Amino acid sequence: MEERVGSGVKGLDFMLKGGFIGGRNILLSGPAGSGKSTLALQFLYDGALSREKVLYVTLEESKDKIIQDMSKFGLNLEAMRKSGSLIMIGGPVAQVTNTMERVDANIYNIINEIEIVIKENNIKRVVIDSINLLTMLVETDGERRMALSTLSNTLSSLGCTSIMISETEEGTMKLSRYGIEEFIVDCVIVLYLVRQGSIFVPGVAIRKMRGSNHDKEIRVLKITDKGVVVYPEETMFGKI
């Protein structure tokens, strides 16, 4: 029987019919402010609480800022980092360890650095936030597909259950930035911000999950003082 890995979000696990399939790659996409990073860090935090080694690769925000922001949701990332359960690499200038300091650095150097950290620490949960900056290091869709395939295959071969975050434009129904990412991964989760009157209401849908049945509705999602909460029995729109 296949291993299921908890998402750290109870309602989302219900939609996933028990959690993510272990060792698979998940694309988590959505517009700015929809809760992507928070949800992904809850996934890592859930693993760290179970004494798993987890890895967060930040390519945009500083590690200190992420730790400070997540403390508002009750996620004590600093304690996890000090215990060695959580490893954070990267930074706002896309420096994954020393790779990006090299003049000739490319996306494959970064993938290699990530692979080394995973092997050295026996990591089983990974979040890459975000793959948008990684894909900016190459010029064509063909190169992007090849690089993302290499990244996905590397993570899977190491037995990691991995979330790759992709920011999409607000108001679009695209699943990713370039329209190729969703074909490479095993699971696609999309966060939405739907305007209802004068407010934007967040929602979540599982658009793809290889090898498993899953919820097909767009469900209500809320960002609370405890982080992301999914309400699997509430749909954003009435049944057609």
Side-chain angles (χ1 to χ4, degrees):
M1 189 173 179
E2 65 197 13
E3 176 195 5
R4 291 284 175 157
V5 177
S7 67
V9 180
K10 187 175 180 181
L12 182 58
D13 283 348
F14 185 87
M15 295 178 68
L16 293 163
K17 308 301 180 185
F20 299 123
I21 299 176
R24 301 292 183 92
N25 296 299
I26 302 104
L27 180 71
L28 177 61
S29 64
S34 56
K36 300 183 298 298
S37 295
T38 304
L39 190 155
L41 281 160
Q42 286 177 234
F43 164 69
L44 291 186
Y45 199 74
D46 181 69
L49 284 175
S50 301
R51 300 186 180 279
E52 296 179 31
K53 289 284 190 73
V54 302
L55 172 64
Y56 186 73
V57 182
T58 172
L59 299 171
E60 298 184 42
E61 299 286 350
S62 71
K63 294 185 283 291
D64 289 341
K65 185 174 185 297
I66 292 165
I67 290 170
Q68 181 181 8
D69 288 345
M70 290 304 107
S71 68
K72 299 171 185 176
F73 300 117
L75 302 184
N76 192 342
L77 300 184
E78 183 60 24
M80 292 297 185
R81 189 162 69 158
K82 287 181 178 178
S83 73
S85 297
L86 170 64
I87 296 170
M88 303 178 74
I89 60 175
V93 290
Q95 292 180 337
V96 180
T97 63
N98 296 319
T99 290
M100 293 307 293
E101 294 176 357
R102 292 169 39 186
V103 175
D104 63 342
N106 60 50
I107 192 170
Y108 295 101
N109 299 134
I110 296 176
I111 293 171
N112 183 59
E113 290 285 344
I114 292 170
E115 181 178 9
I116 290 170
V117 173
I118 290 170
K119 286 180 176 178
E120 288 181 346
N121 296 278
N122 191 30
I123 286 167
K124 294 304 176 186
R125 295 192 190 205
V126 178
V127 167
I128 299 177
D129 189 1
S130 69
I131 59 171
N132 293 59
L133 284 180
L134 281 182
T135 52
M136 287 172 60
L137 296 175
V138 292
E139 296 182 356
T140 69
D141 283 347
E143 290 173 318
R144 291 186 185 98
R145 181 183 286 270
M146 181 64 69
L148 289 174
S149 293
T150 300
L151 174 60
S152 296
N153 291 334
T154 297
L155 294 170
S156 293
S157 69
L158 295 169
C160 296
T161 307
S162 308
I163 291 180
M164 305 178 191
I165 294 177
S166 175
E167 187 164 314
T168 56
E169 296 177 9
E170 187 173 323
T172 182
M173 293 304 291
K174 285 185 176 182
L175 302 184
S176 62
R177 175 60 60 91
Y178 294 103
I180 59 176
E181 297 92 324
E182 59 265 34
F183 297 105
I184 296 168
V185 298
D186 304 295
C187 177
V188 178
I189 297 177
V190 182
L191 303 187
Y192 297 98
L193 285 175
V194 179
R195 184 168 184 173
Q196 294 185 2
S198 60
I199 63 172
F200 287 90
V201 179
V204 58
I206 302 166
R207 297 294 303 273
K208 169 183 175 181
M209 192 174 180
R210 286 179 184 150
S212 175
N213 187 23
H214 59 86
D215 190 285
K216 308 296 193 302
E217 296 280 350
I218 302 178
R219 301 293 182 179
V220 173
L221 174 151
K222 294 181 181 178
I223 302 175
T224 73
D225 58 1
K226 300 295 184 182
V228 170
V229 177
V230 172
Y231 297 85
E233 310 221 341
E234 296 183 30
T235 59
M236 292 198 70
F237 307 100
K239 297 259 187 194
I240 297 176

